[in-house]
Amino acid sequence: MNTLLKLPSLQKDGQLDRQLLSSISSICNGKGFPKARDVDTLLKLPSLQKDGQLDRQLLSSISSICHGKGFPKAGDVDTLLKLPSLQKDGRLDRQLLSSISSICHDKGFPKAGDVDTLLKLPSLQKDGQLDRQLLSSISSICNGKGFPKAADVDTLLKLPSLRKDGQLDRQLLNSISSMMSSRGFPKAGEVDMLLDMLLKLPSLRKDGQLDRQLLSSISCMMSGRGFPKAGDVDTLLKLPSLHKNGQLDRQLLSSISSMMRSRGFPKTGDINTLLKLPDLQKDGQLDRQLLSSISSMMSSRGFPKAGDVDTLLKLPSLQKDGQLDRLLLRSISSICHGKGIPNENLVSLIIESIGLKNLELPEYTDELLSSENFDFDENFPDYH
């Protein structure tokens, strides 16, 4: 251990470079202590240098790939970084490496040949060049799941059900990519079966075709959770409380989708209870502006309890001239975006601490909510 910490390549300004040590620590997490010479060899690798110094951003990508997998061979690192298909204008293409790093996060170092085969796949090319947007979708699906087989990628991208007017339907692929984010590469047959199933749902069709805007909302809720059951999709889209003038209220579905991002489908009973809450009504109809504020607070946190929403809207500190102060609620909503519904203590704290005219200062918000003295669990209900 002493030998490692005294390595000249691990020093900066005469002291141990803790940032560097952290990257080494990430690679060896749970794998025991690395050999000092292996660390030294890696840090001195010419392909890891930039302007005569160690390229820390590059080391960070290597560290992400090898997290908990042990030290990579310097030769493997060198071979990958010098791969012609990873170069652009004579230099390493860092954007490409970032996609590779995302795919292989925690999975260990990929074989240069596998990377090369994927990047040269004809179905991943556009106008004679690698289609980076397409690679990004593949990267999202395979995040932390390791390198997909080039043949599997090729089969998926050539699926007839993923094509529109003779070309790959990117909007549709994005929805698939979102649902399968970090879940690994789906089998083409599964995707084909899903799309066939969804196409048969009248509630997901528009003008005789799959309604891609609707599918995008479904995809948002199912992000990273895999493919939904067709029956669950149909039940949600046919819910009476989600309809307006005999048609699905897309704005309302969008609010629900925002709250449930990556959380799956909410229970229909919970939706009904919330949308019928007296405090969420105005002139006998659902108050969409109010729901939008609730949706912002609950973004990606799941469905709120109707009781928590009711309590918030009745807080004395949020009333003005006997009515709910919507401007104030909107400011609270902005501050608590994605944090959940705050309790009375936090609402009072925000109002007292920064004053009404400064309520929308995001920098204060971040400081407040990340403060060591701020107990997150005590000020927000548990929606996990």
Side-chain angles (χ1 to χ4, degrees):
M1 179 176 177
N2 207 31
T3 306
L4 177 70
L5 299 182
K6 288 182 178 178
L7 273 180
S9 51
L10 266 181
Q11 310 301 311
K12 187 180 180 183
D13 302 327
Q15 291 186 317
L16 178 67
D17 189 326
R18 285 170 164 72
Q19 185 185 357
L20 266 191
L21 185 63
S22 177
S23 291
I24 302 300
S25 168
S26 171
I27 294 173
C28 295
N29 184 26
K31 286 292 178 181
F33 221 69
K35 293 178 181 177
R37 66 173 177 272
D38 290 342
V39 175
D40 199 43
T41 301
L42 180 71
L43 298 181
K44 288 179 178 177
L45 206 60
S47 51
L48 270 181
Q49 312 300 311
K50 186 181 180 183
D51 302 327
Q53 291 187 316
L54 178 69
D55 189 328
R56 288 160 187 267
Q57 184 185 356
L58 207 46
L59 181 65
S60 179
S61 292
I62 302 298
S63 172
S64 171
I65 293 173
C66 295
H67 176 71
K69 289 295 176 180
F71 233 69
K73 293 179 181 177
D76 292 342
V77 175
D78 204 42
T79 302
L80 179 70
L81 298 182
K82 289 179 178 176
L83 208 59
S85 49
L86 266 181
Q87 312 301 310
K88 187 181 180 183
D89 302 327
R91 292 185 179 186
L92 178 69
D93 189 327
R94 286 158 192 274
Q95 184 186 357
L96 267 191
L97 183 65
S98 178
S99 290
I100 302 300
S101 172
S102 170
I103 293 172
C104 295
H105 179 66
D106 290 354
K107 284 294 177 181
F109 220 72
K111 293 178 181 177
D114 292 341
V115 175
D116 200 42
T117 301
L118 180 70
L119 298 181
K120 288 179 178 177
L121 208 59
S123 50
L124 268 181
Q125 312 301 310
K126 186 181 180 183
D127 302 327
Q129 291 187 317
L130 177 69
D131 189 328
R132 287 157 190 272
Q133 185 185 357
L134 209 45
L135 181 66
S136 178
S137 292
I138 302 299
S139 171
S140 170
I141 293 173
C142 296
N143 182 27
K145 290 296 177 179
F147 232 69
K149 293 178 181 177
D152 291 342
V153 176
D154 201 44
T155 302
L156 178 71
L157 298 181
K158 289 178 178 176
L159 263 185
S161 53
L162 270 181
R163 308 195 85 73
K164 186 181 180 184
D165 301 327
Q167 292 188 315
L168 179 68
D169 189 330
R170 288 162 188 269
Q171 188 179 359
L172 203 47
L173 180 66
N174 283 340
S175 291
I176 300 294
S177 170
S178 173
M179 287 188 264
M180 294 303 293
S181 178
S182 303
R183 294 186 70 85
F185 216 73
K187 293 178 181 177
E190 292 175 348
V191 175
D192 215 23
M193 192 182 300
L194 170 76
L195 294 177
D196 184 58
M197 224 165 31
L198 295 180
L199 271 169
K200 290 176 180 174
L201 287 180
S203 52
L204 254 184
R205 295 178 73 82
K206 187 179 181 183
D207 302 326
Q209 292 187 318
L210 182 66
D211 190 326
R212 285 160 170 76
Q213 185 187 356
L214 268 192
L215 183 62
S216 180
S217 290
I218 300 298
S219 163
C220 174
M221 289 186 254
M222 294 301 296
S223 178
R225 298 188 72 86
F227 295 145
K229 293 178 181 177
D232 293 340
V233 175
D234 201 41
T235 300
L236 178 69
L237 297 181
K238 287 180 176 176
L239 206 60
S241 53
L242 278 182
H243 285 74
K244 185 181 180 184
N245 300 327
Q247 290 188 315
L248 179 69
D249 189 329
R250 289 163 186 265
Q251 184 186 354
L252 199 48
L253 181 65
S254 180
S255 293
I256 302 293
S257 173
S258 171
M259 290 188 262
M260 297 303 295
R261 181 184 297 274
S262 302
R263 295 276 174 170
F265 290 157
K267 294 177 181 177
T268 54
D270 291 343
I271 295 178
N272 278 330
T273 303
L274 178 69
L275 298 183
K276 290 178 179 177
L277 208 59
D279 289 318
L280 268 182
Q281 312 301 310
K282 186 180 180 183
D283 301 327
Q285 291 188 316
L286 178 68
D287 189 328
R288 285 167 167 72
Q289 186 185 358
L290 267 192
L291 183 66
S292 177
S293 293
I294 300 299
S295 172
S296 171
M297 290 186 244
M298 294 302 297
S299 179
S300 303
R301 293 194 66 83
F303 217 71
K305 295 175 183 175
D308 293 336
V309 175
D310 198 44
T311 299
L312 176 72
L313 298 181
K314 288 178 176 175
L315 281 181
S317 54
L318 281 180
Q319 310 303 309
K320 184 179 181 182
D321 301 328
Q323 291 186 318
L324 178 69
D325 188 332
R326 289 159 187 273
L327 181 61
L328 184 53
L329 179 68
R330 203 177 308 143
S331 296
I332 299 289
S333 170
S334 173
I335 286 173
C336 296
H337 176 75
K339 304 287 185 183
I341 294 178
N343 66 10
E344 185 173 8
N345 290 336
L346 179 56
V347 172
S348 298
L349 176 63
I350 293 173
I351 295 173
E352 291 170 7
S353 299
I354 53 182
L356 295 182
K357 64 178 180 180
N358 294 321
L359 261 174
E360 293 181 314
L361 288 177
E363 60 272 17
Y364 176 82
T365 305
D366 293 339
E367 183 183 337
L368 172 68
L369 297 181
S370 61
S371 166
E372 291 181 3
N373 298 319
F374 181 80
D375 191 325
F376 192 95
D377 294 329
E378 282 189 7
N379 288 275
F380 290 98
D382 184 14
Y383 294 103
H384 297 290

